[in-house]
Amino acid sequence: MLAYIIRRLFYAIPILIGVNLLTFLLFFVVNSPDDMAVSQLGQKYVTPEGIQAWKRKNGYDLPLFFNPEAPGSDALTETIFFTKSVRLFAFDFGRSESGRDITTDVSTRMWPSLAVALPTFVVGIWVNICVALMVVMFHATRLDRWAVFVFVALMSISYLFYIIGGQYLVAKTWKLVPISGFHGEIQPWKFLLLPVLVGVIAGIGAGARWYCTLFLEEANQDYVRTARAKGASEIRILFRHILPNALIPILTGVVVVIPSLFMGGLLIESFFGIPGLGSYMLDAINAQDFAIVRAMVFIGSILYIVGLILTDISYTWADPRLRLS
Amino acid sequence: MTADQTTRHTTATHRSLCTLPIALLLVLALPVLTACGEPPWNNPNPLVQDDLQTYQSMMAPAPPKHLDPALSYATDESLFIMQIYEPPMDYHFLKRPYELIPGALASAPEVTFLDADGQPVEESDPAVAFTRYTLRLREDLHFQPHPAFALDDAGQPLYLFDNVADGARFKQIPDFPVTGARPVHANDYAYAIRRLADPKNASPMLGFMSQYIVGMKAFSEQVAGLPRDSWLNLDDIPMDGLEVVDERTLNITIKGLYPQFVYWLAMPFFSPIAPEVDRFYHNPGFADRNLTLDWWPVGSGPFMMVKNDPNSEIVLERNPNYRADYFPTEGAPGDLEAGNLADAGKRLPLIDRAVFRLEKSGLSLWTKFMQGYYDRSGEVHSNTTGVFDQAFVVRPDGVEMSSELADHRITMSPDVKPGLYYYGFNMRDPVVGGYTEEKRKLRQALQIAFQTEEYLNVFYKGNGIAAHNLIPPGIPGNLEGEAGMNPYVYDWVDGEPRRKSLDYARQLLAEAGYPNGRDASTGEPLKIFIDVQSQAIDNTSMNWIDRVFAEIGVQVEFRPADFNRTREKLLTGNTQIFSHGWLADYPDPENFLFLLYGPESPLECDCDGANNSNYASEEYDALFRQMRVLPPGPERDALVAQMVELYRRDAVWLYAFYPKEIYLNNSWVYNNKRHGISKSTLKYTRVDEAEREKMQALWNQPITWPLYAALLLFVSLLLPGIVAYRRRQNATIRHAISRHTLSRHIGG
C-alpha cells in the first residue's frame, strides 16, 4: 500500500503543475499586471511610474511565460509564472497583493471554516443516512412516496433560500441566535447553530435521496432476504447488513471531501460572516488578489488529491477483498 | 446469538435509532433554551465587563487592505487611519462650506514664495519658481504607547532582533509587555514624506507628489539604487524639498504655485511616521506574522489600534497620549438648534473604544442595526440593500420613515457627497464628439431627453441631485437657484428649474442633422453606444434609458464590460459614451474642474488621466491654468464661472448627479453630522450605553414557541413511524391472518 501511496503522490505533481498553469491562464486572460496594479493603487492619480513601482515591488514586472531578453533557461525561469509557481511547491505561499502573509491567514482562517464545515458534514451525513434508512424501511408505502416528494422539493429549493430564510426566521424574526458573526473565544456555538442547521437541512433532500438509492439497491439482494428469513429485525438488517454493503459508494462521495472541509463554504461563510477560507477565496477573487487565488487553488488541489488517496485507502477498510498495489 | 440476545440487541438498536434524532434536536435546541442565559440570545457582540464607553460599528463589506498612510488611498481605510494618525491639517467638524483648520499644527502653514534662486518674492511676481510651506507643530503632540518606543536601561530600543528566532514569540503587538512613547517631532513628518518617495513602498502618491515636492523624484531614484537587505534609514538620504528646522518646525518646498497643496496636508499621506517604528517593523520575521506598519499603525491621533483581526474585528481605544483637543464651540447655521453643539467645549474623544466588526451581508448589517447591535447603519457607505431602501421613502419635501424606524426613534443624517456620477461623451468620437454647433446641439438634445430627475427617483429612490454643474454643492463654484441652473437644458419656471421640452430636443436634433432621429444625409437611424461596467447597471435601467431616447427617435446600444475592459476603452479613447464618477479629495473647485483639463486626457498624458471625455478647449485650459494658482476670491470665482459655462455650452456630459446618501443612527448615538471630506470624526461621536442596553433588551426578546412547535412536529412525525415499525416488527402470521379475515368478514 505504501508503494501505491507514494506513486499516487508522484502523480500529483503533474496535476498540480497543470492546475497552476490553468489558474494562471484563466486569471491573466481577464487581468493584466497593470490592471492588478490599478486595482491596488486606488484608481486615482495613478501614474505609469506608480504602476511600474507596484509591479516591481510585487514581482509582476517580468513577462508572463517567456522572457526573450533573458539568456538560456532564464528565458523560462525569469517569468511571472515560474517565480510565482516554484515557491508554491515548497509551500511558501508568499504575501497577498495587499501585503499580508498568506500562510498566516490560511492557518488562522481554516479553523472557523472547519468549525462550520465539520459539524455540518458529520451531522448531515448522519441525518441523511438515518432518514434514508427510515424511508427504505417503509419502501413502497405511502410514506415512501411522500418522502420522495419532500426530497425533490428540498432539492429544488436554492441554497440561498435556505440561508436567507433561516436568517430571516430564526435570527431576525424569532431572535433566537445572532444573524451572523463569529467569535472563536466567546460562545462560538451560538454563531454556529444556524449555519449548521441550514447546511444540514439544505442537504437532506439530495443526500437522503442518494443514500436511499444506494440502500434500495442492497435491500433487494439475496443476503437481505436471508437475514430477514432468519428473523433479524428490520433495524438490524438496515444497520448491520445493508449499511456496510452500501459503504463503497458512500465512501466515494464522502471521504474525498473530508480534507476539503478546511476550505469552507463560499456562500455559507459569506452570508453568516464566518471568517473562514471560503470567504477568503471569494474576497480574493473580488479584489483581483491573484496571490491568494493561486495559493487557494493550489491548496484545494492538494486537499482533493489527498481526499482521493484517502478514498482509495478507505475502500480496503470497507471491503477486505480490495487490496492496493 | 440466542433469540433472547437478538431481541435485546434489536430493542437496543431500535431505541438508539429513535432516540438519536431526538438527541440531535435537543443538542441543537437545548443550548438555546438553557445555556444562553438571560436574553437577548441573539447578541452578536461579546459582553465586555468594563466601564469603557464603546461605540459599536462595522466594516462593510470588506476589511481594509492597507493601514499604512503611505499606501492607503481608500475611504474605508481612512475610517481607521484618520482616527489613529493626525496629519498637519484637519477640517472643522461642523462648519459648511468645508473649512480647513490646523490639526497637528499650532497654526496654519506659513507660505513663502521663492524665485529660482530661493529668494522670497511676492505671490503675484512672475518670477515665483517655488513655494515653501513652513509647518509649526503643536507642543503637546505625543505618539501612542507602542513597543517600538520601548527602551532598555541603556536607552537603546528594547525590541530589535538580529534573527527571526529571537522575536518569534511575539505574534501580535499586544504580546509585547513593554511599551514606550515620545513626543512627535517635525522629522517624523519629513520621514513620512520620504516614505512616500521610497519606491519600495509603491505609494499611490509617488507619481503625483513627485511633480510638486522638490527633490522627491531624485530621492526616489537614489533610493531605488540602494541595497535593501535590511532596514534603510531614509533620514540618511536628503531630499531637497524637506528641511527640518528644529524639533517642531518643518519646511516643505514645492515647485511653482500650487495653492491646493495645503489640502493635501489634511490627507493621511502626510501623517507622521517615527523612524524607530519603521525600524521596529523591519525586525527579521515580523512581516511573516503580519507585524507591519500596514497592519499595526502607530500614530498620535485620538485613538490607537489594540486589535487587528481583519477577518473578524478591529478595535480602537482612546490614545492616552492624545493632545488637548476640544469639541468645537461654533458651527454652521442651524447646528445649535439641531443639538450639534451640545458637547461644545468637551475634551475629545468622547468615547473610549470603538469596535468595527466585519459585516459582509447587507441583510445581516441591517438586522443588527435594527436590533440595536450596531450604533449606526453605515460608516463610509450608507447601506444600499433592498431592505434598507424599504425603510424610508425620499420625497421632495423630505424623508418619510417607516413605522418601524419611527418606533425605534432612529435619526437620519443625509449626506450629499462632494462627488458626482456621470455619463460622459467622448469628445473625439466622430458621431457625438466635436465642437461644431451641430455637434453641440446633438449632445444638448440627448441631455434634454435624459430625464435625470425621473432616473434618480426610479433607480436611486431620490437619493441624488441632478447636476447643473460639474462642481458639487458645498464647494465654491456651485451656485444655488437660477444662477446655478444649466440654461442649455433647463428653463427657470415658477421659481424652479424645469427641463426643456422633448419638442425642443427634437428640434435641436433636426438642426444637428438628425431629423426624427435619422441621419439627414443617409437616412440611417442615429444609434448611440454606451459603455458601462456590467455590475453597475441592470436591465431595468437599460430599458428605461432605451425608452427615454426612443422618445426623440434615437436608438441606444449598451456595451457592458468589466472594470478592466472599461478602463482600457477609456485609456484608448475607444468609447462613445461612458459611465464614470469622481469623489473629491479636497473641497476646492480645482479638484473637479481638472476633470476636463486638456492635458489630463488619457490620450494626451498617456496615463490614467481624469479627463476621460478627452475634452480639449484651449479657452478652458487657459482659464484652468489661471484659476488653479489663484487664491480664493472674486477673481477666481469669475474664472470658475467661465469654465462652468464652457462645460454647459459644450455639453460635455450626457447627465450627471450628485450622490446623496442617508445614514441612520440609533437614538443613543450623538453628534452624527456627516462630513463629506474628513473621516477624522470618530472623536466627536458620543454614545449613551445605558440607553443602548435598555433598548437592546427591549427589542430582542426571543420568541420561543417555534422551538416547541418544531419539537412537537418532530415527535408527531416520528411517533407514527415508531408505531408502524413496532406493529410491523411484532406482527405474527396468525395476527395478520386474523386481521385479514376480520376485514373480509366486515367487508362481506
Side-chain angles (χ1 to χ4, degrees):
Chain A
M1 186 190 287
L2 188 64
Y4 174 82
I5 293 170
I6 291 171
R7 196 167 65 244
R8 287 292 300 267
L9 287 175
F10 273 110
Y11 288 164
I13 294 171
I15 294 173
L16 289 172
I17 292 173
V19 166
N20 195 34
L21 182 66
L22 203 63
T23 315
F24 241 85
L25 284 171
L26 287 175
F27 191 89
F28 284 106
V29 161
V30 289
N31 289 288
S32 69
D34 282 28
D35 295 336
M36 294 165 68
V38 172
S39 158
Q40 297 295 328
L41 290 173
Q43 299 168 19
K44 283 169 98 176
Y45 305 106
V46 181
T47 59
E49 295 82 27
I51 292 175
Q52 203 53 37
W54 185 91
K55 282 161 58 179
R56 202 174 304 120
K57 178 189 174 191
N58 293 282
Y60 289 102
D61 54 337
L62 298 169
L64 281 178
F65 294 104
F66 184 74
N67 189 347
E69 291 172 11
S73 61
D74 289 355
L76 290 174
T77 57
E78 286 185 14
T79 58
I80 296 178
F81 177 69
F82 187 83
T83 53
K84 298 284 179 189
S85 303
V86 76
R87 294 195 316 187
L88 287 179
F89 287 88
F91 292 95
D92 175 8
F93 302 122
R95 305 264 164 78
S96 70
E97 312 304 1
S98 59
R100 283 183 70 84
D101 186 66
I102 294 175
T103 310
T104 309
D105 274 353
V106 168
S107 57
T108 311
R109 299 184 70 135
M110 61 191 266
W111 301 114
S113 280
L114 204 60
V116 181
L118 194 61
T120 309
F121 175 75
V122 173
V123 176
I125 287 181
W126 182 79
V127 168
N128 290 348
I129 288 178
C130 280
V131 171
L133 287 173
M134 187 88 84
V135 173
V136 167
M137 196 159 68
F138 294 99
H139 179 54
T141 64
R142 197 176 294 169
L143 183 75
D144 181 31
R145 286 191 289 278
W146 271 105
V148 171
F149 174 78
V150 172
F151 292 158
V152 172
L154 286 171
M155 283 161 67
S156 310
I157 298 170
S158 158
Y159 197 52
L160 271 178
F161 180 85
Y162 289 106
I163 295 175
I164 296 173
Q167 285 186 320
Y168 185 82
L169 276 182
V170 181
K172 188 173 189 288
T173 309
W174 298 335
K175 305 176 180 83
L176 295 171
V177 290
I179 190 165
S180 69
F182 185 78
H183 285 279
E185 307 92 39
I186 307 152
Q187 298 179 325
W189 56 265
K190 194 164 85 169
F191 299 95
L192 297 178
L193 271 176
L194 189 54
V196 169
L197 193 69
V198 165
V200 169
I201 292 175
I204 286 179
R209 186 98 190 91
W210 162 241
Y211 292 126
C212 266
T213 313
L214 299 179
F215 296 148
L216 278 176
E217 210 173 287
E218 293 296 322
N220 296 323
Q221 299 289 326
D222 289 345
Y223 69 86
V224 174
R225 195 180 306 119
T226 309
R228 197 168 279 137
K230 285 176 73 179
S233 72
E234 286 298 313
I235 293 291
R236 185 174 174 78
I237 290 168
L238 291 174
F239 279 89
R240 280 299 177 93
H241 297 279
I242 293 181
L243 183 59
N245 283 292
L247 262 183
I248 291 281
I250 293 178
L251 290 173
T252 308
V254 167
V255 179
V256 74
V257 300
I258 291 175
S260 309
L261 292 178
F262 289 101
M263 302 293 283
L266 297 181
L267 277 180
I268 209 113
E269 288 185 7
S270 289
F271 275 85
F272 286 102
I274 310 287
L277 289 179
S279 54
Y280 189 51
M281 178 79 162
L282 203 64
D283 292 346
I285 293 168
N286 286 335
Q288 298 185 14
D289 199 321
F290 180 54
I292 297 178
V293 173
R294 192 183 58 229
M296 291 299 293
V297 171
F298 189 81
I299 295 170
S301 309
I302 289 178
L303 292 176
Y304 192 70
I305 289 167
V306 170
L308 288 174
I309 295 173
L310 286 178
T311 307
D312 286 353
I313 294 170
S314 70
Y315 287 165
T316 62
W317 167 77
D319 188 346
R321 291 170 300 179
L322 290 175
R323 286 285 176 273
L324 301 177
S325 59
Chain B
M1 192 182 283
T2 64
D4 188 41
Q5 279 173 321
T6 308
T7 311
R8 272 205 306 275
H9 184 84
T10 306
T11 313
T13 318
H14 182 189
R15 196 181 299 128
S16 70
L17 178 75
C18 299
T19 51
L20 278 174
I22 296 172
L24 167 71
L25 196 75
L26 288 177
V27 164
L28 293 174
L30 275 179
V32 180
L33 292 168
T34 59
C36 283
E38 288 297 308
W41 297 344
N42 60 351
N43 190 347
N45 305 330
L47 296 172
V48 181
Q49 305 292 337
D50 60 28
D51 297 331
L52 299 183
Q53 289 282 316
T54 303
Y55 171 67
Q56 302 283 0
S57 187
M58 78 296 288
M59 41 184 178
K65 283 198 283 191
H66 295 292
L67 294 172
D68 182 341
L71 305 184
S72 167
Y73 197 10
T75 322
D76 55 337
E77 293 162 3
S78 297
L79 172 67
F80 301 99
I81 291 176
M82 293 302 284
Q83 322 310 330
I84 295 165
Y85 289 98
E86 189 168 40
M89 299 297 285
D90 196 2
Y91 287 92
H92 195 285
F93 175 47
L94 297 173
K95 286 187 180 174
R96 302 292 182 275
Y98 304 110
E99 186 181 311
L100 205 58
I101 57 172
L105 299 187
S107 58
E110 189 182 302
V111 185
T112 312
F113 302 97
L114 308 169
D115 64 13
D117 299 324
Q119 297 304 310
V121 290
E122 288 298 314
E123 184 182 2
S124 55
D125 193 326
V128 172
F130 303 103
T131 307
R132 186 172 65 209
Y133 288 83
T134 302
L135 278 52
R136 295 186 208 287
L137 303 185
R138 294 172 59 100
E139 292 183 12
D140 55 354
L141 297 176
H142 283 80
F143 280 109
Q144 65 177 74
H146 193 271
F149 300 114
L151 301 175
D152 60 18
D153 295 339
Q156 294 302 308
L158 188 61
Y159 297 115
L160 285 186
F161 306 110
D162 296 326
N163 53 62
V164 176
D166 289 351
R169 65 186 184 279
F170 303 111
K171 308 291 183 201
Q172 300 196 64
I173 291 301
D175 295 343
F176 292 87
V178 184
T179 60
R182 69 157 173 82
V184 179
H185 298 151
N187 185 59
D188 300 319
Y189 286 89
Y191 193 84
I193 296 171
R194 286 191 169 91
R195 287 189 77 246
L196 292 181
D198 183 352
K200 194 183 174 195
N201 291 326
S203 169
M205 271 301 102
L206 171 60
F208 183 76
M209 276 298 152
S210 295
Q211 302 170 53
Y212 292 105
I213 297 178
V214 175
M216 195 169 189
K217 196 169 185 181
F219 176 92
S220 183
E221 287 166 359
Q222 188 183 349
V223 172
L226 297 174
R228 303 298 291 266
D229 299 334
S230 57
W231 177 64
L232 175 68
N233 187 354
L234 300 175
D235 271 344
D236 295 340
I237 304 152
M239 189 189 294
D240 291 344
L242 297 178
E243 183 193 3
V244 179
V245 180
D246 57 44
E247 279 204 342
R248 289 207 301 279
T249 312
L250 171 68
N251 284 337
I252 305 174
T253 307
I254 64 167
K255 296 169 195 167
L257 289 166
Y258 183 44
Q260 292 76 28
F261 183 72
V262 72
Y263 290 113
W264 287 99
L265 295 177
M267 294 181 71
F269 303 111
F270 289 87
S271 303
I273 302 291
E276 53 266 57
V277 170
D278 196 24
R279 188 181 184 188
F280 170 84
Y281 283 124
H282 277 80
N283 266 311
F286 272 30
D288 295 336
R289 298 192 294 281
N290 295 325
L291 287 174
T292 64
L293 193 58
D294 209 15
W295 293 104
W296 290 99
V298 187
S300 56
F303 296 93
M304 57 184 189
M305 187 171 281
V306 295
K307 182 178 181 187
N308 182 2
D309 180 357
N311 308 324
S312 173
E313 64 182 19
I314 288 178
V315 182
L316 307 182
E317 277 184 11
R318 175 195 291 269
N319 171 12
N321 299 338
Y322 184 52
R323 66 179 172 87
D325 192 9
Y326 301 93
F327 199 97
T329 51
E330 53 183 4
D335 277 336
L336 188 64
E337 297 76 12
N340 290 335
L341 286 163
D343 291 309
K346 285 186 183 168
R347 180 81 186 256
L348 300 173
L350 298 173
I351 52 168
D352 303 307
R353 182 194 290 133
V355 182
F356 299 86
R357 297 201 165 81
L358 182 60
E359 199 59 73
K360 292 184 172 184
S361 151
L363 175 67
S364 300
L365 192 157
W366 176 251
T367 305
K368 287 180 191 172
F369 169 69
M370 289 304 291
Q371 290 172 340
Y373 297 125
Y374 285 138
D375 292 342
R376 288 183 180 137
S377 66
E379 286 296 342
V380 290
H381 309 289
S382 70
N383 196 323
T384 51
T385 63
V387 191
F388 183 87
D389 287 347
Q390 286 163 22
F392 56 84
V393 180
V394 182
R395 300 190 191 286
D397 51 345
V399 179
E400 193 176 295
M401 284 197 284
S402 70
S403 58
E404 193 183 10
L405 261 67
D407 290 347
H408 281 219
R409 292 187 289 126
I410 281 168
T411 61
M412 283 186 284
S413 307
D415 182 21
V416 179
K417 285 196 177 298
L420 37 81
Y421 293 113
Y422 62 92
Y423 274 20
F425 294 110
N426 177 10
M427 298 297 277
R428 294 200 185 190
D429 181 77
V431 178
V432 300
Y435 302 88
T436 61
E437 199 53 35
E438 286 77 19
K439 295 295 184 187
R440 281 192 193 111
K441 284 182 175 172
L442 167 62
R443 291 193 296 269
Q444 283 166 9
L446 296 173
Q447 282 182 327
I448 293 167
F450 195 99
Q451 308 281 333
T452 313
E453 293 77 9
E454 184 185 315
Y455 183 72
L456 292 173
N457 281 332
V458 173
F459 298 105
Y460 288 82
K461 288 187 73 76
N463 285 324
I465 300 169
H468 292 246
N469 186 341
L470 74 169
I471 302 169
I475 294 179
N478 182 290
L479 302 177
E480 297 285 325
E482 191 174 359
M485 184 189 73
N486 181 355
Y488 297 93
V489 181
Y490 294 86
D491 292 317
W492 190 257
V493 182
D494 299 334
E496 59 177 16
R498 183 170 298 170
R499 186 171 288 270
K500 290 180 189 289
S501 69
L502 287 177
D503 285 339
Y504 180 67
R506 290 187 194 102
Q507 182 194 325
L508 285 175
L509 204 58
E511 289 169 12
Y514 296 97
N516 300 317
R518 287 185 176 270
D519 191 321
S521 54
T522 64
E524 290 291 315
L526 173 61
K527 194 176 205 177
I528 56 174
F529 298 89
I530 303 180
D531 286 298
V532 285
Q533 281 187 48
S534 322
Q535 65 271 32
I537 195 161
D538 54 25
N539 282 336
T540 330
S541 303
M542 290 197 270
N543 290 339
W544 183 90
I545 294 171
D546 243 347
R547 185 178 59 76
V548 294
F549 285 121
E551 297 271 342
I552 58 168
V554 175
Q555 298 177 10
V556 185
E557 187 172 319
F558 288 90
R559 296 192 292 204
D562 65 14
F563 167 76
N564 293 330
R565 297 293 77 77
T566 311
R567 175 177 160 266
E568 202 174 284
K569 286 179 181 178
L570 293 176
L571 289 179
T572 53
N574 182 24
T575 179
Q576 191 178 73
I577 298 172
F578 60 93
S579 66
H580 217 272
W582 184 260
L583 279 177
D585 293 298
Y586 45 82
D588 189 271
E590 183 264 354
N591 199 229
F592 287 91
L593 293 169
F594 96 120
L595 296 177
L596 298 181
Y597 182 48
E600 276 292 331
S601 159
L603 303 179
E604 293 292 327
C605 69
D606 196 24
C607 66
D608 266 359
N611 178 7
N612 290 304
S613 288
N614 302 306
Y615 181 60
S617 160
E618 285 181 17
E619 189 184 357
Y620 185 96
D621 293 349
L623 289 167
F624 182 81
R625 279 189 286 270
Q626 269 181 280
M627 179 278 303
R628 80 186 310 178
V629 296
L630 280 179
E635 192 187 349
R636 193 172 196 245
D637 292 345
L639 295 179
V640 169
Q642 286 181 57
M643 296 168 75
V644 170
E645 168 57 21
L646 288 176
Y647 154 78
R648 287 171 178 164
R649 186 201 68 189
D650 287 339
V652 192
W653 292 344
L654 172 62
Y655 89 103
F657 72 93
Y658 313 123
K660 187 175 166 185
E661 293 188 340
I662 292 180
Y663 293 82
L664 304 179
N665 321 294
N666 269 312
S667 59
W668 53 82
V669 199
Y670 299 91
N671 303 323
N672 299 310
K673 187 168 179 177
R674 305 289 309 178
H675 197 289
I677 303 280
S678 174
K679 292 287 166 284
S680 61
T681 53
L682 183 64
K683 60 186 177 185
Y684 303 107
T685 301
R686 178 165 62 84
V687 291
D688 180 346
E689 286 205 316
E691 175 75 3
R692 176 169 61 199
E693 206 173 315
K694 196 174 93 184
M695 288 298 139
Q696 283 178 351
L698 184 69
W699 295 340
N700 294 291
Q701 287 302 311
I703 298 170
T704 51
W705 67 259
L707 284 177
Y708 300 111
L711 200 64
L712 200 67
L713 179 72
F714 186 73
V715 172
S716 63
L717 281 175
L718 202 64
L719 271 180
I722 294 170
V723 169
Y725 174 79
R726 290 177 73 94
R727 189 183 294 157
R728 185 167 160 180
Q729 200 63 29
N730 296 331
T732 58
I733 292 177
R734 182 185 297 169
H735 182 62
I737 289 173
S738 66
R739 280 182 62 199
H740 183 65
T741 314
L742 184 66
S743 63
R744 280 185 63 191
H745 180 72
I746 294 168

